[in-house]
Amino acid sequence: IEIKPSVTEAYINLGYVYSRTGMMQQAIEVLKKAVSLDPTSVMAHHNLGSVYAVNRNYTEARNEFKRVLELDPENVSAKRMLINLGND
């Protein structure tokens, strides 16, 4: 990230590490950065949705998974997450 701050994958990977170590706010921040760098990144939106879901921010989680399906209509994981999250 220090060398190439515009590399979306670096932010996605860092977000994953933060989420796996319980640093959810930091995960959200870097995943939002990943989404801002590449709004078409399915993985960035999916990971951000997952972190929002773990934090019980279900509205934001649903929004991210809906965006995943806009980008990748056949994404089974996003479909499952939306079913699990239900409607609000």
Side-chain angles (χ1 to χ4, degrees):
I1 291 175
E2 288 180 19
I3 296 170
K4 286 193 169 191
S6 63
V7 177
T8 305
E9 291 79 13
Y11 289 96
I12 292 170
N13 291 336
L14 184 57
Y16 176 78
V17 170
Y18 280 146
S19 69
R20 298 295 292 170
T21 57
M23 301 173 71
M24 297 305 193
Q25 191 55 46
Q26 292 89 337
I28 289 169
E29 290 173 19
V30 297
L31 289 168
K32 286 170 91 174
K33 177 68 175 178
V35 165
S36 74
L37 289 171
D38 183 1
T40 64
S41 171
V42 170
M43 185 172 285
H45 284 287
H46 193 286
N47 289 6
L48 183 55
S50 296
V51 173
Y52 279 139
V54 168
N55 280 328
R56 297 182 177 170
N57 188 341
Y58 302 126
T59 300
E60 293 297 329
R62 276 190 290 278
N63 290 340
E64 292 302 325
F65 292 120
K66 287 176 184 175
R67 181 68 180 133
V68 169
L69 292 177
E70 289 173 5
L71 297 166
D72 179 11
E74 300 305 314
N75 191 296
V76 175
S77 179
K79 289 178 182 181
R80 285 187 187 141
M81 290 300 291
L82 281 171
I83 290 168
N84 290 337
L85 290 168
N87 293 324
D88 192 30

